[in-house]
Amino acid sequence: RIKDSLRKQSNPPSAHTFAAMADIPRRGTCRIFLPSSLLCLLHISSVLSLSYVRAPLRNCPRSSLRPLRSSPAETDTAPPGSDAAPPPFFADDASASTRYPSAGPINTEPDLLAYSTAYRTPRDEISADNLECSGGTSLPVDLAGTYYVSVPAMFSSGSIPPPKGSGGMRPKTQPVADGADPARTASHPYDADGLLLGLTLNPPPEPELDDDGAPTGVPPETPPAAVLRARYVKTNAYQVERKKGLRGYNAMDAGRRSPRADQGNDHPLPLFRHSLQYGLNKKRAHRGHGRPLYWSGRLLVPWEGGLPYKVDPLALSTVGKSVLGGVMGPDQPLGGEYAVCAREQRIVMYSNRIGEGKASRTECEILEFDKDFVCDGTRRRTVAFDGPALISDVAIAGEYVVMVVPDAQISDGIKYALGERDPAKVLSVGVGGTLYLFPRGPDPLTSAVPEPEGVEIKRPDPLISVPLEPDGLGTEADLQFVNAHRDGDVVEIDLVRSSGEIPSSKSLPWPWATDLGQYRSISTRRSLWRYTVNLRRRSVERREYAGADGGRGPHVSGAVVNPTRSGMKHDRVYAAAGSTGEDVSPPQGIVAYDCASGTVAGRWYPGADEFCGEPSYATAVGRDGDDGAAGGDGGYLLSIMYSGRTRESSLLVFRASDVSAGPVATVPLGIAVPHGGRGLHVPGASWGATEIERRVKLAEKMEKKGDRWNEVKSDFSGLGLRLDDFEEVFGTML
């Protein structure tokens, strides 16, 4: 009754009104502490036992709803001393889901309280769950394959103890609720361990036909609409912190918590992703939530600054670090992004190493692999840059590899020389930069270091560099390439660009933002841009895509194109966008841009308490994605939407040619997927539920034995190979 009376007040109590108010989803205990400002202090020494009667979902207070598979002990506890703690309950009259049509209003303020509830650690992994569509929908008959999504998810280190029977692994401390122990809580969502989801999609079967082509009338066996797996990527850092029950890789914490007025600690993706100490070490940990890569039948999880981890495509069990068939050294860092040339079926990756000492030189190795994941010497080159090069992405445009290096310098050479590698303490990043186009082909060394005066350096291939002067509209740091293509003397690049400025330098702890003002204080504005490079004139024109009303485009987070057009001219770009127009707000809806007009061609937004993640394009079965549909894209868009009301997530399926019509199918996942996921749809990765279950059982049996490849060193000193790399090295010869 006290709780209900306070909820009805015209001015609801703030987060500090209660020291704690526990959820009561079942019979248990609840301690209530009243405000100290009351005229009469009421001391409750006994614990009130409250019986809870399960009610329909629409009548449940939000405080009683929590992610499925979460630990019963988990509460909405915030770090001690935090002024960003979420209120202990939500209003019962919160807005219901509302669908906004293409021409409808979008300037609707999102529910940040609902948004913040997604930052909860999933406490259980999912071996294989059969899922069905909801709301009378069904998957399109030409949609199949597997949708992989990697997302930062473990916000409190050691939240999942080792499985029973795994010898030698006994955690020193038990799991705690998110935010209960600041020493174990991630300072930024990017620093959380990654959860990998796999959704194998099964379209409805076609009716059985007899020899004459007529229906037999016998209903075909209907498989589940989707088979879900969700497992953490078992990196070395994950295993060490799991065993100790502590957060051991915290070299970035001081920089994360220091006030900054730039994009160094931007949300959801920071510019400073890792320590400058290259390789995976005590300062730089692989967190296992890079964009998944599926190439030549192998599933990899890259991460900025370390070797990728190889994962079983069916069971999602972690195999171990991969040296890409012996191409990479055991300590060589690899970039977290990659670019694909769909026409040639080739992929480009990069390895960036900032020099030691005074960091006067950065070496970046560009690696190009064929469709069999083979990289020969003619497709491997080293690029040298003057000073620290913060390369965040790569693209392919015809015969060129595209990179942008922002203006940066070591701000404190003494600290750097003494071993300080926290970029927040030793790096100074400007707003300008340089755009480089490196020729693809047999060129062993292409240098971007200025030639010494009076010395002529002969270059076998034309290196094109274009200065990107400050324009007052954004920064050239942390550009996220969407796609690029070449047409004669012109190269067009679509990318997501940041404003580079944060209104407030205040640093917030978990869950980082519970109202719109807080979110805007830690996030820069990002929007879709097109860079048009004139190769002959060595010039570039930068233009921001417009919104549906002709004004500035919406704030976006993550953008994709039809993958069959990767490296070629594309007609549309799809992105997750905020609901407040050009103002900063969390990604919530899905927008489609028309590249010819440079404006928003379609948009769909859910309710104020629902948030869509980055979309992924899914090619329709039997189509190449260019079948004459509107925009040239006849496939589908996949996005995972989190609902703050139910605290669960769902898979949404859109027709790429008509985003404004809304999802054509919805698949409830039964779990809460945190924000920040990055996905990839693999059309040919189709397996039956039985085959997946068998592989999962085998993987779980191996995991309990505790003999994981990523826990023991199985390197061959002469070859630098691991046992699991034999398939990569010799697979094409066997």
Side-chain angles (χ1 to χ4, degrees):
R1 288 196 297 269
I2 296 173
K3 205 171 161 184
D4 292 337
S5 63
L6 288 173
R7 187 175 295 164
K8 295 177 182 179
Q9 294 178 4
S10 57
N11 296 320
S14 65
H16 296 287
T17 302
F18 299 97
M21 181 175 286
D23 295 337
I24 45 174
R26 55 184 60 85
R27 179 179 296 274
T29 61
C30 176
R31 294 186 181 272
I32 303 178
F33 298 86
L34 296 179
S36 59
S37 59
L38 292 179
L39 297 178
C40 180
L41 296 178
L42 177 62
H43 176 68
I44 303 179
S45 58
S46 61
V47 177
L48 303 179
S49 297
L50 303 177
S51 298
Y52 175 80
V53 180
R54 190 171 299 276
L57 185 64
R58 61 178 181 273
N59 294 328
C60 291
R62 289 195 180 187
S63 57
S64 66
L65 303 177
R66 57 180 64 258
L68 191 63
R69 305 178 186 276
S70 295
S71 170
E74 181 183 357
T75 63
D76 293 339
T77 307
S82 167
D83 59 355
F89 60 82
F90 290 94
D92 287 332
D93 57 349
S95 60
S97 299
T98 304
R99 311 301 175 196
Y100 299 116
S102 175
I106 64 171
N107 293 322
T108 303
E109 185 169 312
D111 185 349
L112 262 294
L113 289 175
Y115 177 83
S116 66
T117 60
Y119 288 120
R120 300 294 189 273
T121 298
R123 303 284 172 165
D124 292 322
E125 296 180 318
I126 299 177
S127 299
D129 277 3
N130 296 332
L131 307 177
E132 299 296 341
C133 296
S134 66
T137 63
S138 61
L139 293 179
V141 295
D142 54 356
L143 176 61
T146 299
Y147 179 36
Y148 295 106
V149 181
S150 179
V151 57
M154 187 172 291
F155 305 104
S156 181
S157 298
S159 293
I160 298 182
K164 295 181 179 179
S166 56
M169 293 191 67
R170 295 291 184 271
K172 297 180 180 180
T173 60
Q174 295 301 315
V176 297
D178 290 327
D181 185 357
R184 296 177 63 171
T185 304
S187 299
H188 190 284
Y190 188 82
D191 298 330
D193 287 309
L195 181 73
L196 183 62
L197 285 78
L199 273 164
T200 299
L201 308 176
N202 301 306
E206 298 182 357
E208 295 185 5
L209 304 178
D210 57 21
D211 296 338
D212 299 327
T216 61
V218 178
E221 183 178 354
T222 303
V227 180
L228 170 67
R229 291 90 71 204
R231 298 175 70 90
Y232 284 95
V233 180
K234 308 301 192 302
T235 65
N236 285 343
Y238 172 93
Q239 297 287 36
V240 169
E241 294 180 339
R242 183 188 202 184
K243 184 176 182 179
K244 294 182 177 180
L246 300 172
R247 188 163 180 268
Y249 298 85
N250 53 8
M252 295 290 292
D253 284 3
R256 295 282 188 233
R257 294 165 181 166
S258 63
R260 298 192 64 88
D262 57 23
Q263 61 190 122
N265 293 328
D266 197 6
H267 282 245
L269 187 65
L271 169 63
F272 299 150
R273 293 172 172 69
H274 53 70
S275 168
L276 299 180
Q277 182 72 40
Y278 59 82
L280 297 179
N281 45 61
K282 294 182 179 180
K283 292 185 178 181
R284 184 189 290 191
H286 193 310
R287 287 303 180 183
H289 54 73
R291 183 188 301 279
L293 168 62
Y294 191 90
W295 196 259
S296 186
R298 303 175 181 91
L299 178 61
L300 301 176
V301 180
W303 189 81
E304 189 70 33
L307 292 174
Y309 269 78
K310 188 176 179 180
V311 178
D312 182 85
L314 279 76
L316 300 191
S317 56
T318 304
V319 179
K321 287 186 290 187
S322 172
V323 293
L324 303 182
V327 173
M328 306 292 292
D331 296 323
Q332 188 173 357
L334 192 70
E337 303 295 336
Y338 54 87
V340 175
C341 179
R343 179 185 287 114
E344 303 175 23
Q345 284 298 291
R346 302 184 72 90
I347 183 172
V348 169
M349 309 177 79
Y350 64 93
S351 173
N352 202 36
R353 296 177 63 158
I354 297 178
E356 291 294 279
K358 296 183 180 179
S360 59
R361 182 184 178 94
T362 297
E363 290 187 356
C364 177
E365 189 173 16
I366 301 176
L367 310 165
E368 185 168 334
F369 299 84
D370 62 13
K371 62 182 179 61
D372 296 321
F373 226 140
V374 175
C375 176
D376 57 35
T378 63
R379 295 287 181 169
R380 183 174 183 175
R381 67 179 66 223
T382 299
V383 179
F385 297 99
D386 187 23
L390 297 179
I391 299 173
S392 58
D393 209 343
V394 63
I396 296 178
E399 298 80 18
Y400 289 97
V401 173
V402 183
M403 289 182 173
V404 170
V405 178
D407 294 337
Q409 62 181 356
I410 299 296
S411 58
D412 195 327
I414 297 179
K415 284 186 178 180
Y416 194 91
L418 293 177
E420 179 60 65
R421 292 297 182 267
D422 188 339
K425 297 181 179 180
V426 297
L427 272 187
S428 175
V429 183
V431 296
T434 305
L435 186 148
Y436 292 100
L437 294 100
F438 299 103
R440 298 167 58 196
D443 177 18
L445 179 63
T446 302
S447 177
V449 176
E451 298 92 343
E453 186 176 355
V455 178
E456 182 179 357
I457 297 180
K458 184 179 179 181
R459 294 192 175 96
D461 291 318
L463 163 67
I464 298 177
S465 62
V466 181
L468 300 173
E469 301 294 339
D471 58 1
L473 300 175
T475 177
E476 306 304 332
D478 201 22
L479 299 181
Q480 301 170 25
F481 293 132
V482 180
N483 195 30
H485 68 93
R486 180 183 179 184
D487 185 6
D489 291 334
V490 175
V491 171
E492 292 182 328
I493 310 168
D494 283 342
L495 52 87
V496 176
R497 186 187 187 194
S498 169
S499 65
E501 296 180 354
I502 294 180
S504 172
S505 60
K506 186 178 181 181
S507 178
L508 300 176
W510 176 93
W512 298 291
T514 55
D515 61 57
L516 191 56
Q518 289 180 344
Y519 186 86
R520 289 174 175 173
S521 71
I522 58 176
S523 303
T524 66
R525 182 183 184 274
R526 294 180 181 267
S527 57
L528 186 65
W529 285 71
R530 167 159 290 189
Y531 284 20
T532 304
V533 183
N534 190 304
L535 302 180
R536 181 169 300 180
R537 298 177 181 176
R538 302 294 198 271
S539 63
V540 60
E541 177 188 2
R542 292 168 285 188
R543 177 172 58 90
E544 184 179 10
Y545 276 75
D549 56 357
R552 297 191 69 183
H555 172 76
V556 301
S557 178
V560 297
V561 298
N562 183 342
T564 64
R565 310 300 301 170
S566 181
M568 298 181 285
K569 184 177 178 61
H570 56 280
D571 297 322
R572 286 198 173 188
V573 175
Y574 309 94
S579 62
T580 57
E582 65 180 79
D583 296 328
V584 175
S585 61
Q588 195 165 10
I590 304 296
V591 297
Y593 291 90
D594 177 66
C595 298
S597 63
T599 60
V600 172
R603 65 193 185 208
W604 180 87
Y605 286 87
D609 54 6
E610 296 172 321
F611 303 88
C612 291
E614 175 186 293
S616 295
Y617 191 97
T619 305
V621 176
R623 304 182 188 177
D624 60 0
D626 190 6
D627 59 352
D633 292 341
Y636 301 92
L637 295 179
L638 309 178
S639 176
I640 291 183
M641 183 187 73
Y642 174 77
S643 170
R645 173 173 290 277
T646 64
R647 295 200 184 185
E648 292 186 358
S649 299
S650 300
L651 171 67
L652 303 185
V653 181
F654 300 82
R655 293 192 183 277
S657 58
D658 191 7
V659 173
S660 302
V664 297
T666 302
V667 182
L669 303 184
I671 62 171
V673 179
H675 304 301
R678 310 182 70 190
L680 170 73
H681 175 260
V682 183
S686 297
W687 306 281
T690 303
E691 185 178 3
I692 293 175
E693 291 174 358
R694 288 176 180 173
R695 184 71 67 88
V696 167
K697 290 181 180 179
L698 177 61
E700 291 179 344
K701 183 178 181 180
M702 296 297 296
E703 183 176 351
K704 288 183 178 180
K705 291 183 177 181
D707 297 328
R708 301 183 233 274
W709 294 112
N710 60 334
E711 286 187 8
V712 297
K713 295 183 178 180
S714 56
D715 297 334
F716 290 89
S717 58
L719 298 176
L721 302 178
R722 300 164 60 89
L723 289 177
D724 55 278
D725 287 316
F726 272 115
E727 177 189 358
E728 300 178 8
V729 179
F730 303 108
T732 58
M733 296 183 291
L734 298 178

